[in-house]
Amino acid sequence: MMDIPLRLLAWAMHLTVFGLLAMAVVTVLREDQVGIAAGGVLLGALYAAGPSAEGRPVAGPVWLGAVTALWLALAVVSAPFVWPAFPLLHAFVRVLPLWLAMFGVGAVTSAAILAAVWHAGELMVPLVVGPALAAVVVTLLALACRSMREHAGGPVQERPAPPVTP
């Protein structure tokens, strides 16, 4: 029974990523920035490959690193690409061990704030508070999903530490 809400939340997160990417691509196309738009389409394709990489000890973090690096490059060159970061934070909690996910969430949120402020040309309270609140909400949602999965007996992405051999 828990499977249905988890699937709906996953679909909602995916649709949010693609919706924000589509708006960013359309925005940069209107400004005749075809190369940046192509980067946005590439980011969408790379993000779409995520479900096949999740749950795999090496492929998941490599995929997440590639998505994050491409997102960061796009966010630096074009303001509309700052905002797709927030649904991506959900992927950090799904793919990485919790301690590393929280570090990643903090780093990506900080990068998004810095990019937004840089594009705006000045520090404004909404550019700091908005992304910070969004990161908290997305992270809490991802943690709730993780907890629901755990209570339902499904796999949790937390991997045990490798055994120590003398």
Side-chain angles (χ1 to χ4, degrees), residues 20-103:
L20 289 169
L21 279 175
M23 287 189 294
V25 166
V26 167
T27 300
V28 296
L29 280 175
R30 287 178 146 170
E31 298 168 358
D32 292 327
Q33 297 175 331
V34 178
I36 296 171
V41 172
L42 178 61
L43 180 57
L46 186 57
Y47 179 83
S52 65
E54 283 183 30
R56 297 164 72 192
V58 174
V62 168
W63 165 79
L64 186 58
V67 167
T68 303
L70 183 53
W71 164 78
L72 183 58
L74 289 168
V76 167
V77 298
S78 182
F81 285 100
V82 170
W83 310 117
F86 299 103
L88 289 177
L89 297 178
H90 194 266
F92 275 80
V93 178
R94 284 192 329 257
V95 171
L96 299 175
L98 189 56
W99 70 271
L100 189 55
M102 293 301 101
F103 176 78

Side-chain angles (χ1 to χ4, degrees), residues 76-160:
V76 167
V77 298
S78 182
F81 285 100
V82 170
W83 310 117
F86 299 103
L88 289 177
L89 297 178
H90 194 266
F92 275 80
V93 178
R94 284 192 329 257
V95 171
L96 299 175
L98 189 56
W99 70 271
L100 189 55
M102 293 301 101
F103 176 78
V105 165
V108 169
T109 303
S110 297
I113 291 169
L114 289 172
V117 168
W118 185 68
H119 286 295
E122 65 179 310
L123 178 64
M124 294 182 282
V125 173
L127 294 179
V128 176
V129 174
L133 287 176
V136 168
V137 170
V138 169
T139 302
L140 290 174
L141 176 63
L143 290 172
C145 289
R146 185 184 200 129
S147 177
M148 288 171 58
R149 211 175 298 117
E150 192 175 276
H151 283 43
V156 176
Q157 298 298 329
E158 192 80 44
R159 289 180 291 281

